[in-house]
């Protein structure tokens, strides 16, 4: 297994060190060239839209948006102070729009979705990391891939996969139970949840096992580090679409190897490890197909690159919240135990979905703490987007619509939308599962009708690029939680405080730690 050097978690880059190295000078020249190309294509954003002041000419508000531990609060505050549309600063004095107004999001994601395409930086980064898969394509190619995959995510198909989910979840529970059988023990649950989610994707999506849940391996370690590593590089994402012009992949890798930054080198290693493993899986499947052999039990291919960190992160957040709220944990355990009287009883999809409190806990967690807080779009032509809630312009004018120029970057504030006080009320920031057990406010119902989103929230987006695996993810979450909560009790360690870093994904970390990678220590007790 690859061991990371001590400086791998350093977020900064030593510019003098780069400039003193001949290889560093070459890399810096390439970076400067990419910056110049990006600046030449940068478009302005309507200056009458208010927003937070820029923190830096070079990075604008981007470092605030992804700042460890404080980025989430900054995103929430930006749209509350500046209402449903805010102008934020990006690289080198550029501008973008941070949007959470319900009507504006409906136009961007649904009604005018052909005008607002996936952010080029997002698709380019995914293409460089994973190849031209579903999350890296646009237009007709994306539609074709999505059409092919959609049947695999149907409710009917997922019902047939439930025994597989249950089997893997029980394996997870048994491993953890064996560790805490005699006394409560503090365990970092993030590697366990990551391997669980990876195994669900592997067996459920590829008919392939990535190894025992109790054992570390290069691939699971790489998958665990991927999202956190990429998150640090988000402020530089606007430059990635130009990276493909540097020539073939081998030359691009050569350029990256010249940059003396441990975190970037770790990202290169991660891509190499994952690429090699996926090619091995593909070769094995191709051999089986050529031989006319298939695994009908587990080989119902879904896709090989569904991000495991989104679901494992959501389950981690659930366990953390239950540890913070023992009364909710007790209530949930009572419901699950009453529904499934014997621990060995098989759990099917309909039974899990019919548990109202379990469903409420999952829905509220996804609303208040969406695993992906922000997603991006770019305007393909000049357009006008109406607002449900008018804003006040810099000049004092009341604006009921916003003019958006071609090329404008749009930051979809999923987090802000799910916390919008005019939609969810004055307690929008509070985690209250019981809100789903009563009638929702009319404002929430109107938002559901307007946006066409799942469960009245923006967590899974809407339109042609909405999350294709939202049913898969929720089933995985509910099955895992229903099995773990029956026999295990979760509480917080006394000597550690957990925070959550915002970036590409929300990641749990120990406050005061210099590590950017996930850590969620919980005290786990075995119940009779």
């Amino acid at each position: 297994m690859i061991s990371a050097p001590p400086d791998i978690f350093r977020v900064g880059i030593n510019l003098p060190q780069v400039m003193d190295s001949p290889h560093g000078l070459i890399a810096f020249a390439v970076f400067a060239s990419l910056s110049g190309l990006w600046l030449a294509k940068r478009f302005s954003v309507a200056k009458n839209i208010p927003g937070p002041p820029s923190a830096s000419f070079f990075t604008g508000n981007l470092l605030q948006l992804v700042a460890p531990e404080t980025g989430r609060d900054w995103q929430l505050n930006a749209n509350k102070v500046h209402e449903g549309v805010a102008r934020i600063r990006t690289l080198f004095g550029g501008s973008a729009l941070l949007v959470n107004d319900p009507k504006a999001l409906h136009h961007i994601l649904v009604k005018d979705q052909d005008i607002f395409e996936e952010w080029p930086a997002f698709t380019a980064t995914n293409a460089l990391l994973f190849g031209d898969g579903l999350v890296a394509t646009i237009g007709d190619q994306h539609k074709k891939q999505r059409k092919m995959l959609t049947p695999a995510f149907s409710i009917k198909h997922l019902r047939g996969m439930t025994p597989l989910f249950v089997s893997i979840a029980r394996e997870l529970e048994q491993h953890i139970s064996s560790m805490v059988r005699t006394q409560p023990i503090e365990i970092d649950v993030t590697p366990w949840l990551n391997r669980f989610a990876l195994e669900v994707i592997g067996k459920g999506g590829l008919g392939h096992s990535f190894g025992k849940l109790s054992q570390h391996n290069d691939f699971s370690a790489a998958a665990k580090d991927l999202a956190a590593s990429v998150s640090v590089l988000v402020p530089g994402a606007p430059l990635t679409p130009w990276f493909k012009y540097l020539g073939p992949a081998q030359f691009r890798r050569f350029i990256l190897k010249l940059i003396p930054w441990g975190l970037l080198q770790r990202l290169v290693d991660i891509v190499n490890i994952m690429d090699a493993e996926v090619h091995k899986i593909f070769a094995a499947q191709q051999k089986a197909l050529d031989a006319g052999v298939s695994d009908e039990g587990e080989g119902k291919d879904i896709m090989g690159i569904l991000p495991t960190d989104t679901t494992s992160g959501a389950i981690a957040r659930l366990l953390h919240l239950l540890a913070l709220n023992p009364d909710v944990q007790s209530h949930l355990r009572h419901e699950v135990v009453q529904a499934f009287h014997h621990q060995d009883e098989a759990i099917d999809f309909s039974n899990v979905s019919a548990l109202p409190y379990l469903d409420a806990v999952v829905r509220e967690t996804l609303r208040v703490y969406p695993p992906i807080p922000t997603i991006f779009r770019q305007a393909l032509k000049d357009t006008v987007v109406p607002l449900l809630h008018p804003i006040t312009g810099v000049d004092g004018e009341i604006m009921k619509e916003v003019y958006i120029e071609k090329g404008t970057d749009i930051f979809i504030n999923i987090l802000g939308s799910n916390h919008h006080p005019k939609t969810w009320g004055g307690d929008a920031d509070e985690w209250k599962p019981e809100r789903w057990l009563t009638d929702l406010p009319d404002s929430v119902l109107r938002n559901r009708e307007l946006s066409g989103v799942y469960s009245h929230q923006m967590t899974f987006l809407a339109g042609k690029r909405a999350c294709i695996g939202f049913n898969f993810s929720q089933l995985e979450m509910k099955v895992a939680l229903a099995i773990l909560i029956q026999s295990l009790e979760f509480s917080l360690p006394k000597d550690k405080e957990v925070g959550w870093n915002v970036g590409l994904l929300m990641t749990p970390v120990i406050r005061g730690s210099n590590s950017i990678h996930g850590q969620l220590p919980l005290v786990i007790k075995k119940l009779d």
Side-chain angles (χ1 to χ4, degrees):
M1 184 172 178
I2 295 177
S3 299
D7 68 343
I8 194 170
F9 301 125
R10 292 179 184 171
V11 176
I13 182 168
N14 190 327
L15 188 57
Q17 179 184 352
V18 172
M19 300 302 290
D20 286 342
S21 164
H23 288 167
L25 284 172
I26 296 174
F28 183 79
V30 170
F31 176 81
S33 299
L34 291 175
S35 301
L37 289 170
W38 182 83
L39 282 170
K41 295 291 291 182
R42 183 165 54 88
F43 293 84
S44 64
V45 174
K47 295 182 179 180
N48 197 37
I49 299 175
S54 176
S56 162
F57 171 78
F58 294 103
T59 59
N61 299 119
L62 294 180
L63 293 183
Q64 295 171 295
L65 188 135
V66 298
E69 300 189 27
T70 62
R72 179 179 182 273
D73 291 338
W74 187 92
Q75 291 189 35
L76 284 175
N77 190 60
N79 271 135
K80 286 182 178 179
V81 172
H82 302 286
E83 305 180 81
V85 179
R87 181 187 182 207
I88 63 172
R89 298 294 185 172
T90 57
L91 294 181
F92 310 114
S95 297
L97 295 180
L98 184 68
V99 182
N100 73 11
D101 180 88
K103 195 170 186 178
L105 292 180
H106 169 66
H107 277 256
I108 293 169
L109 297 173
V110 182
K111 187 174 181 180
D112 297 330
Q113 56 187 307
D114 290 333
I115 297 176
F116 295 94
E117 190 53 87
E118 191 72 73
W119 199 32
F122 179 79
T123 54
T125 301
N126 283 321
L128 290 170
L129 292 173
F130 310 118
D132 294 328
L134 189 68
V135 294
T137 56
I138 60 175
D140 291 339
Q141 186 178 2
H142 177 83
K143 291 178 182 177
K144 181 179 179 180
Q145 291 185 6
R146 190 177 179 96
K147 184 178 181 180
M148 292 170 60
L149 289 168
T150 296
F153 289 97
S154 67
I155 297 294
K156 181 180 178 180
H157 185 80
L158 290 177
R159 283 197 183 110
M161 295 180 63
T162 304
L164 173 64
F165 283 51
V166 172
S167 174
I168 300 172
R170 289 210 182 283
E171 183 183 353
L172 173 66
E173 184 274 333
Q174 289 165 6
H175 282 304
I176 295 178
S177 290
S178 67
M179 298 168 64
V180 299
R181 192 171 302 280
T182 58
Q183 62 179 357
I185 294 177
E186 179 184 309
I187 297 174
D188 178 8
V189 299
T190 53
W192 288 95
L193 297 178
N194 181 265
R195 291 194 294 272
F196 163 74
L198 189 63
E199 193 67 355
V200 169
I201 290 295
K203 288 186 175 180
L206 294 170
H208 170 82
S209 174
F210 286 102
K212 296 180 180 180
L213 296 186
S214 59
Q215 294 179 351
H216 296 273
N217 59 65
D218 287 352
F219 191 87
S220 63
K224 179 179 180 293
D225 288 353
L226 176 62
S229 300
V230 174
S231 293
V232 174
L233 305 176
V234 165
L239 302 178
T240 55
W242 300 102
F243 198 68
K244 62 184 178 182
Y245 295 115
L246 292 180
Q250 287 184 338
F251 181 72
R252 296 198 298 263
R253 287 171 183 257
F254 169 74
I255 293 296
L256 290 178
K257 282 294 186 181
L258 299 180
I259 302 176
W261 188 9
L263 187 62
L264 185 61
Q265 301 311 316
R266 173 56 175 159
L267 184 59
V268 173
D269 289 338
I270 288 171
V271 173
N272 289 337
I273 291 169
M274 299 183 76
D275 181 68
E277 183 70 15
V278 170
H279 274 85
K280 285 168 55 179
I281 296 171
F282 179 80
Q285 289 192 333
Q286 189 64 49
K287 183 177 180 180
L289 288 172
D290 292 342
V293 177
S294 64
D295 186 344
E296 294 296 333
E298 296 181 351
K300 303 173 181 178
D301 292 351
I302 290 182
M303 61 188 295
I305 59 169
L306 272 177
T308 62
D309 274 348
T310 52
T311 303
S312 62
I315 299 174
R317 178 71 80 167
L318 280 166
L319 296 181
H320 186 209
L321 288 168
L322 294 180
L324 286 167
N325 299 273
D327 55 332
V328 175
Q329 182 176 171
S330 178
H331 186 170
L332 180 61
R333 181 177 296 108
H334 177 77
E335 179 185 70
V336 171
V337 170
Q338 288 297 312
F340 309 109
H341 302 291
H342 304 290
Q343 189 172 347
D344 293 332
E345 181 180 342
I347 301 176
D348 60 41
F349 178 77
S350 58
N351 283 344
V352 170
S353 297
L355 301 183
Y357 200 64
L358 173 61
D359 185 67
V361 168
V362 170
R363 286 175 185 260
E364 183 69 345
T365 300
L366 290 171
R367 182 191 74 83
V368 180
Y369 303 102
I372 301 177
T374 310
I375 202 71
F376 313 98
R377 294 290 185 269
Q378 188 177 86
L380 300 182
K381 65 179 184 179
D382 294 352
T383 188
V384 175
V385 171
L387 303 176
L388 181 64
H389 307 296
I391 65 173
T392 303
V394 174
D395 62 0
E397 174 190 0
I398 301 299
M399 304 172 64
K400 296 182 179 180
E401 58 185 21
V402 174
Y403 172 72
I404 298 179
E405 297 180 59
K406 176 182 177 181
T408 298
D409 291 335
I410 309 293
F411 287 29
I412 306 296
N413 192 351
I414 296 174
L415 187 62
S417 175
N418 288 355
H419 286 246
H420 203 304
K422 291 182 180 178
T423 300
W424 293 95
D427 63 351
D429 291 342
E430 298 180 36
W431 184 73
K432 298 171 61 175
E434 59 270 19
R435 78 169 73 241
W436 298 94
L437 303 177
T438 59
D439 293 335
L440 294 170
D442 290 341
S443 55
V444 174
L445 300 179
R446 284 197 303 271
N447 186 41
R448 168 66 177 85
E449 295 172 359
L450 180 65
S451 301
V453 296
Y454 164 79
S455 191
H456 319 287
Q457 54 187 294
M458 195 55 66
T459 302
F460 296 103
L461 292 181
K464 65 181 180 181
R465 296 193 77 99
C467 177
I468 194 174
F470 74 93
N471 283 321
F472 187 101
S473 176
Q474 289 176 94
L475 175 60
E476 185 179 346
M477 292 169 63
K478 289 178 180 179
V479 167
L481 199 58
I483 289 178
L484 293 176
I485 201 69
Q486 292 183 68
S487 60
L488 301 173
E489 181 181 83
F490 302 89
S491 59
L492 300 174
K494 295 180 180 180
D495 59 341
K496 297 182 181 71
E497 184 179 0
V498 175
W500 287 77
N501 284 354
V502 62
L504 185 66
L505 302 175
M506 297 295 298
T507 306
V509 294
I510 299 174
R511 292 190 185 275
S513 169
N514 292 326
S515 174
I516 62 171
H517 296 291
Q519 298 178 77
L520 178 56
L522 295 176
V523 176
I524 304 179
K525 176 183 177 181
K526 175 70 175 176
L527 300 175
D528 293 333

